[in-house]
Amino acid sequence: MNRITISPRIRTSPFYRSTVDAGLSDISIYNKMVMPTSYGNLKAEYDRLINDCAIWDVSVERQVQIAGPDAHACAQYLTARDLTNMVEGQGKYVAMCDHEGRILNDPVLMKLSGDRYWFSLADNDMLLWCRAVAAERGFDVEVTEPDVSPLAVQGPKAEDLIVDLFGEDPRSLKYFWFTETDLDGIPLVLCRSGWSKQGGFELFLQDGSRGDELWAKVVEAGQKYNIGPGAPNHVERVESGLLSWGGDTTPDSNPFEAGMTRFVDVDCEPDYIGKAALQKVMANGGPERLFVGLFIGPDTDSGDSTADDAVANAWPLPARTPVRHQGTEVGTLSAVVHSHRLNRTIGLAQIKRDVVEANLTVEVEGPNGSAPATITKLPFL
Ligand code: THG
C-alpha cells in the first residue's frame, strides 16, 4: 500500500498520541487533519459499537464559530433550516447550501448563546465560505475555528459511562442538545450526538493541550463497560443510512437528493442562501434523484465475517460507480458493505426518482460482473 506523508499542513488531533498508543492502524484525511479509521480489527470495532461502548477520536469534526451581535442572522443565512425557535443548548442537524441549492456541508449546528453558534462540520472548507458570506453581507460577527475537538463515546453502554463521569443530568439531554461542563477541570461541551445510531455522546474538548488526559480518564472509567478504541464505523453507518457528505453526494447534489428533506425548510419566513433554488426544485415536482438503500444479490453471506468483509471490500469502490436499469444508467452507488446484522450485502445509492417510485430492479457493477439489486428505504436498521 502507499503511505501518507504527514506534514504541518496535515494537522493531528489532541488525542493523536493516545490513538497511536491504542494501536491505530488506519487513517484517512478529513478537514486537512489525520482521521483515525481503524485499530486493525473492524469486526471487533463494530461489535463493540453494537454491544458495548467505543471511544472515537473525531476531532476532525471541526467547529466554525460565528460570534457577535449578528451571530443569529449570519448562522440563519448560512443554513437551509428555520432557526427561529432554536434555544441555547440545542443542536440541530442542518444543510448548508450554495446559491444554486447545492449542498456544501451537513453539520450539527449548536447554539451556545444568542450571540455564539458552532457549525460542527463534515469535510469541506467551510471557514472560507462562512468568512466570505459574513463579510460580503456585512454581518457584525467574528468567524473563527476555535480550539475545540470532539471525542465520541458510542454504543448502548455509553450513557452509563457518561453518567459515571458527569452524574445523572446527561440522561435527560435530548438528541443533539448539550451542556457546558468539565471533567476534573478539563473544559468541555457535552452533547448527546455522534455519527452512529447506537446512542452516545460527544465530549467537545475546549483545551487542545489536554487531549491525552481526557482520553485516559474516559478509557479508565470505561473499563467496566468493555470500552475500546474505534472510529466512525462504515458498516454501521451504511446500515443506519447516515449521510457521508462528499462520499454519498456529488458536487451538484441538493439536500433532497442527499436524504435531508426532513431537515430542510423551504417555506419558512427567514431567508437563507439557496432558498429560492430549493423552492424551485420543489415547485418543479421534487428532486431528480433520491438517496436510497440497495439489497445487492446474490447473497454472499458465508458465516465468516472476515471473508464477507473481504468480498464487500473487493467492490470497485471507493469511486462512485454506475447503477443501471436494463443497461441504462439511472444513478450512482457510493458504498457497499456486508451487513453483519442483516447477513447481506447492502449499499447506498442516489437513484432517479421515477426508478425508485416504480420500485424497479437495478444492476450494479461488482467484482464478479453485474449483480442485481433491489431498492429499499433508509435506514436498513
Ligand atoms: N458530530 C459532530 N459533527 C459532525 C458529525 C457528528 N460533523 C460531521 C458529520 N458528523 C455531520 N454529519 C452528520 C450526519 C448525520 C447525523 C449527524 C451528523 C445524524 N443523523 C441522524 C439521521 O439522519 O437519521 C439523526 C438526525 C436527526 O434526527 O436530527 O445523526 O456526528 N459533532
Side-chain angles (χ1 to χ4, degrees):
M1 241 342 243
N2 297 319
R3 293 181 298 183
I4 295 176
T5 304
I6 305 297
S7 71
R9 197 165 51 68
I10 310 289
R11 303 172 290 176
T12 52
S13 105
F15 313 110
Y16 184 65
R17 184 42 41 211
S18 299
T19 63
V20 170
D21 290 348
L24 180 64
S25 63
D26 292 63
I27 63 167
S28 184
I29 303 292
Y30 191 105
N31 280 329
K32 302 195 186 78
M33 287 182 72
V34 172
M35 178 185 189
T37 52
S38 180
Y39 293 78
N41 187 339
L42 282 170
K43 181 57 167 50
E45 292 163 33
Y46 174 88
D47 289 342
R48 218 177 264 140
L49 171 62
I50 302 298
N51 301 316
D52 297 311
C53 175
I55 180 170
W56 300 352
D57 172 2
V58 285
S59 55
V60 297
E61 296 165 351
R62 301 316 289 168
Q63 319 331 298
V64 164
Q65 172 171 290
I66 315 283
D70 291 339
H72 179 83
C74 183
Q76 175 64 78
Y77 192 59
L78 289 162
T79 303
R81 188 168 179 179
D82 190 349
L83 306 181
T84 307
N85 298 319
M86 198 171 181
V87 301
E88 268 182 51
Q90 186 178 10
K92 278 178 188 262
Y93 183 43
V94 304
M96 302 173 85
C97 294
D98 72 9
H99 299 79
E100 309 303 321
R102 294 178 284 234
I103 183 166
L104 299 178
N105 211 289
D106 67 328
V108 178
L109 174 63
M110 300 161 72
K111 179 172 180 173
L112 290 125
S113 68
D115 60 4
R116 196 157 67 102
Y117 288 77
W118 287 349
F119 287 103
S120 191
L121 292 156
D123 183 16
N124 203 1
D125 283 321
M126 297 311 284
L127 183 62
L128 299 178
W129 174 255
C130 295
R131 281 186 168 163
V133 168
E136 288 289 319
R137 297 292 297 192
F139 287 123
D140 185 3
V141 290
E142 240 200 314
V143 181
T144 55
E145 189 193 285
D147 175 11
V148 174
S149 300
L151 179 69
V153 289
Q154 297 286 295
K157 297 180 182 164
E159 182 166 325
D160 287 339
L161 165 57
I162 289 297
V163 165
D164 287 353
L165 289 170
F166 297 96
E168 290 287 331
D169 288 354
R171 281 206 204 280
S172 59
L173 277 179
K174 288 183 272 187
Y175 208 69
F176 293 138
W177 289 58
F178 58 91
T179 178
E180 283 218 54
T181 181
D182 72 275
L183 188 62
D184 303 333
I186 304 173
L188 302 172
V189 167
L190 176 65
C191 182
R192 187 188 289 277
S193 62
W195 205 56
S196 86
K197 287 265 177 152
Q198 306 314 310
F201 292 80
E202 289 179 325
L203 292 72
F204 291 69
L205 172 66
Q206 300 196 80
D207 177 351
S209 71
R210 304 185 74 175
D212 296 321
E213 206 187 325
L214 177 61
W215 177 286
K217 285 179 190 293
V218 174
V219 167
E220 192 191 338
Q223 288 311 307
K224 70 191 241 213
Y225 302 111
N226 203 19
I227 198 170
N233 189 282
H234 188 50
V235 172
E236 194 276 345
R237 83 96 182 169
V238 172
E239 293 172 338
S240 298
L242 295 180
L243 181 70
S244 176
W245 183 90
D248 303 321
T249 60
T250 68
D252 289 329
S253 299
N254 64 45
F256 313 124
E257 294 166 331
M260 289 191 72
T261 304
R262 69 187 191 280
F263 307 116
V264 174
D265 294 311
V266 286
D267 295 320
C268 58
E269 202 271 312
D271 195 22
Y272 58 78
I273 300 174
K275 188 177 174 189
L278 295 176
Q279 284 175 335
K280 202 165 146 198
V281 171
M282 284 317 203
N284 290 341
E288 276 174 39
R289 294 179 174 213
L290 295 174
F291 187 49
V292 295
L294 292 180
F295 284 113
I296 301 170
D299 193 353
T300 56
D301 184 44
S302 70
D304 172 348
S305 66
T306 308
D308 292 336
D309 280 342
V311 171
N313 290 335
W315 278 68
L317 297 163
R320 241 176 255 116
T321 59
V323 176
R324 297 193 172 87
H325 174 67
Q326 294 176 350
T328 306
E329 185 166 338
V330 295
T332 55
L333 178 73
S334 54
V336 174
V337 300
H338 181 79
S339 166
H340 305 300
R341 284 178 290 169
L342 296 169
N343 288 324
R344 298 198 59 173
T345 304
I346 59 173
L348 297 174
Q350 264 190 36
I351 295 182
K352 284 197 169 145
R353 196 161 48 116
D354 51 340
V355 172
V356 174
E357 284 168 358
N359 202 19
L360 301 177
T361 300
V362 293
E363 306 103 44
V364 290
E365 222 31 65
N368 307 310
S370 181
T374 55
I375 297 168
T376 187
K377 269 204 223 97
L378 293 171
F380 288 96
L381 284 164

